[in-house]
Amino acid sequence: MIRFLLPVAALACSVASGVAQNYQAQYPYDPYNAAPAPQQYQEYQSSPSQPNYSYGGGGGGDYTKQSYGSGAISSGGGGRYAELLSWGHLEGHYAYNDFRGDDKLDGDSGFGVNLRVALMKIGFLHFGLDRILAEGPNAQDLSLTTATVGGGVFLPVTERFHIYGEVGFRYDWTGGDLDYIYEDDISLFLRPGVRFAVTENFELTASVLFSDTENFNEYVIEVSGYYALLDWLDVGGGVDFGDDYNTYRLGGRWRW
């Protein structure tokens, strides 16, 4: 029996030695001699198809950023939505006004310019100038020029949605043949509003203006939309629904 087991044991040792040598040749890994990692593990690390997650200061990807179209939106703020909802911009527009319920005046063209300057991260200053024209009977005309100076604060509820409030002064100056029907006036106004980035390139905004003026449009509901043609330039338009006349706007906005 022993004579039979000895050759079998010798054969088994020879096979095991051959298998070990073959495995060592394919996978030269020795944890005690700092040998290189097995080939399959190295290939797994360098494979471009494998996801790379980084949760700290090491190299690799950043899990806080995701790609949305042409811009990267960070979970900590910034990105394309913040650029679109910038509080530093210069806007200019063409305007057409339509007097409602007034047989004496017909609407005509005009323009408007508005400058907003961001202030201390949550505030802004607003300077505006609007001029509209109207025509009366017997070829009479009327021009209305409004200057606005105000300031406000805004609150980014989310990256895409802001609420804001503005308070300031409005000065109305009247010219033309019918200036007697619309006296010069200085008044206080209050404007709460919202801004919403529907997409990275399209914004909707709405506000309500309350004024203590003795003349036209003591309140105005303003609705506007802007589309980003470039990283710094938007085109847009809107409608102002007033208690005395409506204004239809079309223009552009330069952001910074």
Side-chain angles (χ1 to χ4, degrees):
M1 185 68 176
I2 296 177
R3 294 178 182 178
F4 176 75
L5 292 177
L6 288 176
V8 172
L11 179 61
C13 290
S14 176
V15 171
S17 177
V19 171
Q21 292 178 359
N22 185 45
Y23 181 85
Q24 183 70 20
Q26 292 186 5
Y27 307 100
Y29 179 67
D30 186 352
Y32 300 101
N33 295 323
Q39 183 177 1
Q40 289 185 352
Y41 179 73
Q42 291 178 343
E43 292 177 354
Y44 176 81
Q45 278 192 325
S46 60
S47 174
S49 62
Q50 300 298 328
N52 189 1
Y53 302 98
S54 175
Y55 297 90
D62 186 351
Y63 78 100
T64 63
K65 290 186 177 181
Q66 300 178 0
S67 177
Y68 293 87
S70 59
I73 306 304
S74 169
S75 64
R80 294 291 297 272
Y81 295 130
E83 294 176 3
L84 184 64
L85 299 181
S86 168
W87 287 91
H89 58 256
L90 176 65
E91 179 232 357
H93 61 261
Y94 162 82
Y96 180 84
N97 63 95
D98 180 22
F99 286 85
R100 298 187 299 140
D102 195 327
D103 297 333
K104 296 181 180 180
L105 297 175
D106 294 326
D108 205 340
S109 301
F111 67 89
V113 179
N114 289 280
L115 171 66
R116 283 187 171 87
V117 180
L119 186 66
M120 298 178 62
K121 295 185 178 181
I122 61 170
F124 64 91
L125 297 177
H126 176 204
F127 305 94
L129 181 66
D130 293 275
R131 180 177 173 84
I132 61 176
L133 303 175
E135 295 181 354
N138 303 319
Q140 295 173 316
D141 66 319
L142 176 69
S143 63
L144 309 175
T145 303
T146 300
T148 301
V149 177
V153 294
F154 63 90
L155 175 64
V157 179
T158 68
E159 190 176 41
R160 302 171 61 176
F161 183 72
H162 292 190
I163 61 176
Y164 71 93
E166 179 184 353
V167 62
F169 293 96
R170 159 183 154 183
Y171 179 73
D172 299 324
W173 177 78
T174 304
D177 302 325
L178 301 175
D179 61 347
Y180 60 89
I181 69 172
Y182 193 40
E183 299 178 355
D184 297 350
D185 185 33
I186 185 170
S187 58
L188 180 70
F189 74 86
L190 173 67
R191 176 189 283 120
V194 297
R195 299 178 65 186
F196 175 56
V198 181
T199 69
E200 294 178 355
N201 298 318
F202 183 62
E203 174 195 350
L204 287 176
T205 178
S207 64
V208 182
L209 184 144
F210 302 96
S211 174
D212 65 349
T213 181
E214 298 293 335
N215 296 310
F216 294 150
N217 278 3
E218 294 182 6
Y219 71 86
V220 182
I221 300 174
E222 305 164 331
V223 181
S224 303
Y226 296 93
Y227 181 79
L229 285 181
L230 302 173
D231 291 340
W232 53 273
L233 179 63
D234 307 329
V235 294
V239 183
D240 300 339
F241 300 99
D243 56 333
D244 292 303
Y245 62 87
N246 299 336
T247 301
Y248 305 90
R249 297 174 280 104
L250 183 64
R253 183 176 66 179
W254 173 33
R255 290 181 278 110
W256 56 82

